[in-house]
Amino acid sequence: MKYPLLALIKVYQWTISPLLGPVCRYYPSCSHYGYTAIDVHGAVKGSALTAWRILRCNPWSPGGVDHVPPRKRPPWHDRLRNMLRNSKGGPSAVAETSPAAETSPHAQGA
């Protein structure tokens, strides 16, 4: 579903956008924002981000620079990655203890 949406945006950029001229109040333009959002976040979330951007692009909006937010990893992804890293290393992958970790949690500062 992602690639047909990207193709539709490209067709719009090649055919209709040159006829309208530079009318977007934001940088990058709404069509470039939509293309990047769908490319980075996928069809569903990218379309939602694009729709929200188009709703904000109106005469009462101050405009400005508005880049696509970076993609965030879900929490389960980090847990899975850490679990796989720990299982690959075996017993030699145990972290070395630092002098700070060896002190008692109830120790007083010097």
Side-chain angles (χ1 to χ4, degrees):
M1 190 67 189
K2 170 180 170 177
Y3 296 107
L5 290 174
L6 293 176
L8 282 173
I9 292 173
K10 278 296 180 188
V11 168
Y12 167 80
Q13 288 176 343
W14 292 334
T15 58
I16 299 171
S17 184
L19 299 175
L20 298 175
V23 294
C24 192
R25 303 177 69 82
Y26 287 100
Y27 175 83
S29 69
C30 293
S31 62
H32 288 283
Y33 182 93
Y35 188 89
T36 307
I38 292 171
D39 191 37
V40 170
H41 293 284
V44 176
K45 187 172 181 181
S47 296
L49 288 169
T50 303
W52 179 243
R53 167 69 179 269
I54 291 171
L55 289 173
R56 288 184 288 141
C57 191
N58 58 56
W60 301 280
S61 172
V65 177
D66 181 28
H67 294 291
V68 175
R71 186 172 184 175
K72 296 178 184 173
R73 290 189 191 132
W76 60 265
H77 184 270
D78 289 330
R79 287 193 301 263
L80 179 66
R81 196 167 93 201
N82 290 335
M83 185 177 70
L84 290 174
R85 282 184 179 171
N86 291 339
S87 68
K88 282 183 181 180
S92 63
V94 176
E96 295 179 19
T97 57
S98 66
E102 293 175 359
T103 60
S104 169
H106 302 293
Q108 297 286 325

